[in-house]
Amino acid sequence: MTQPYPTQTSPLADPAPAPQPPTTEPPAGKKRNTAGLIALILSVAGVIFSCIPGAMVIGWILLPISFILAIVSLFMKDVGHGQGITALIVSIVGTFVAAFVFIFVLADAVNDAFDPETVNVADPSGGVAAPVPGAEGTGSEEAGSSRANPLAIGSTIQQGDWTVTVNSVNPDANAAIAAANPFNAAAPAGETYLMVNISAQYTGANPAGATPWVGVDYVTPAGNSIHPTTVVEPEPFNTLETLYQGASTSGNITLSVPADTATEGTLAVSPTVFGSKVFFAAS
């Protein structure tokens, strides 16, 4: 019986296709994190509103909303998280800023609601002048009670447990500020650093002592108030030092003021947190 020949495979036939690994599409770019963007906008707006006394409530509402949205945005997948992280940081820092501003606004409100203690004044020659009425704007012509009749540099004021002296005023302290710390920024264009040296003595009898709080603002000839700026000045006034009866401390407070009228304004000095403002000449 004839045996069949084995089947031959043609060398020209196409070989069986080799198995191919599964193909994957390249990942698409991350989508915009809308929640993070909204949180960032709300957090910035919250900080701004919280610094405006008449609109602080709006800031208090926006900051917690932005905080919650920022946290939600961080758990969203396939989206960028940079804006959410920024919003979270801004909302947290903004909350501290809002609290800080609220404390100062509350202090001003309490100051307006209650009549502060009488402020006694001593001129640089040592003579004791008549007491200055408690609040500014009373119409009194006593020295220091208004910008029109400021005290001279070197005068001493006493209120409650504190005696404060304005020792000197440097209306052009740019070089001193620059030398005090290389990281200090130069005064903005058109402005100059004005440095006020003050002394504060604690005359109270609290056995635990007290820390000196002296408020110093610069009031321009047009009537605008300028608060102290954040720089590292030489021998800064130390508001954290605890003083006991009879002890005193001295130091500098710096303000950035218009350069062309630096010597024409006045200084509004408050000896205590809720104290009256007493005006000193800036030169």
Side-chain angles (χ1 to χ4, degrees), residues 25-51:
E25 296 181 0
K30 292 185 177 181
K31 300 178 182 178
R32 176 180 294 177
N33 191 336
T34 304
L37 177 60
I38 295 175
L40 180 58
I41 295 174
L42 292 180
S43 64
V44 173
V47 173
I48 295 173
F49 280 112
S50 64
C51 294

Side-chain angles (χ1 to χ4, degrees), residues 47-278:
V47 173
I48 295 173
F49 280 112
S50 64
C51 294
I52 302 175
M56 295 179 68
V57 175
I58 298 176
W60 298 342
I61 295 174
L62 295 180
L63 285 173
I65 293 176
S66 65
F67 178 80
I68 295 173
L69 277 178
I71 293 178
V72 171
S73 70
L74 297 181
F75 288 93
M76 298 178 68
K77 297 181 179 180
D78 300 325
V79 294
H81 293 142
Q83 292 174 329
I85 294 174
T86 304
L88 185 64
I89 295 174
V90 173
S91 63
I92 293 175
V93 175
T95 300
F96 285 99
V97 172
F100 186 81
V101 173
F102 174 75
I103 291 174
F104 273 87
V105 171
L106 180 62
D108 285 340
V110 173
N111 186 36
D112 292 337
F114 299 95
D115 290 331
E117 299 177 52
T118 299
V119 179
N120 295 309
V121 178
D123 61 31
S125 63
V128 179
V132 175
E136 60 171 304
T138 60
S140 171
E141 291 301 318
E142 298 291 350
S145 63
S146 69
R147 293 190 296 130
N149 190 19
L151 294 171
I153 296 173
S155 299
T156 297
I157 56 178
Q158 187 277 327
Q159 182 180 26
D161 295 334
W162 293 95
T163 299
V164 175
T165 303
V166 177
N167 300 312
S168 63
V169 178
N170 182 356
D172 185 12
N174 294 332
I177 297 300
N181 191 303
F183 295 102
N184 282 336
E191 298 185 7
T192 184
Y193 285 129
L194 180 144
M195 192 163 61
V196 183
N197 184 271
I198 60 173
S199 297
Q201 182 183 34
Y202 178 61
T203 57
N206 189 338
T211 55
W213 189 99
V214 180
V216 178
D217 290 341
Y218 175 87
V219 185
T220 67
N224 300 100
S225 292
I226 298 176
H227 303 299
T229 189
T230 305
V231 293
V232 179
E233 57 262 284
E235 300 179 3
F237 184 76
N238 188 357
T239 60
L240 301 179
E241 180 182 3
T242 300
L243 301 179
Y244 298 90
Q245 187 174 27
S248 62
T249 186
S250 299
N252 294 310
I253 295 177
T254 304
L255 307 96
S256 182
V257 305
D260 56 346
T261 58
T263 61
E264 299 174 13
T266 54
L267 302 176
V269 181
S270 301
T272 61
V273 176
F274 302 121
S276 304
K277 292 181 180 179
V278 180

